[in-house]
Amino acid sequence: MTLLSSAQSAPAGLVSPVVGSSCLAMDEDCWYRAEMVKLSDDKDKATLFLLDYGKTMQAPLSALRPIPSTLTTTPGLVCLVTLRGVKSGQSKWSADEVAGALIVLDVGGETQFMVKNVEVDDEFRTN
């Protein structure tokens, strides 16, 4: 059974409002593994990072499910990456720049990328 499909059958239950804890969160009609990164002042709503999707979202604690122990041993399936030499025109990306980048990178589309790990040695030569 795949990670995503096993999350879909997780039973309902209470989730402790603790920053750093894991749970399941519903997004686009699918349950995802999530980490609580922030809680509202009244501790009724959480800001969550979806570990296998790379998205940040908010949800009421009442809408979350406890994460089964079988789903806690696999690390998140996303990681932070950067595109070498791609920078904003200003100190922060504008909404137009972000929209343009999403089109160029075909976010949500069918383009597939080959990933190459480029390392720089002590003398700044790429390997």
Side-chain angles (χ1 to χ4, degrees):
M1 182 179 282
T2 67
L3 192 67
L4 187 57
S5 63
S6 63
Q8 305 316 302
S9 59
L14 296 176
V15 173
S16 298
V18 178
V19 171
S21 65
S22 296
C23 61
L24 294 177
M26 175 70 75
D27 187 57
E28 299 176 9
D29 297 324
C30 190
W31 289 102
Y32 289 94
R33 297 185 308 158
E35 179 181 342
M36 283 189 207
V37 294
K38 187 177 178 184
L39 290 168
S40 62
D41 291 338
D42 59 7
K43 294 192 178 6
D44 280 345
K45 191 179 257 188
T47 301
L48 306 153
F49 178 73
L50 303 183
L51 300 169
D52 303 313
Y53 192 25
K55 180 179 180 180
T56 301
M57 62 174 283
Q58 288 189 337
L61 262 69
S62 60
L64 305 176
R65 289 186 177 177
I67 189 164
S69 60
T70 57
L71 297 177
T72 60
T73 56
T74 303
L77 301 178
V78 297
C79 62
L80 178 64
V81 298
T82 60
L83 296 174
R84 186 175 177 184
V86 177
K87 297 180 181 174
S88 164
Q90 305 295 320
S91 61
K92 186 176 180 181
W93 289 75
S94 70
D96 286 343
E97 288 173 321
V98 170
L102 293 175
I103 292 169
V104 170
L105 297 173
D106 192 33
V107 173
E110 295 181 16
T111 303
Q112 295 184 0
F113 296 90
M114 182 182 348
V115 177
K116 179 179 179 186
N117 185 15
V118 177
E119 297 178 17
V120 178
D121 66 15
D122 291 338
E123 297 176 13
F124 301 103
R125 292 183 297 211
T126 57
N127 297 325

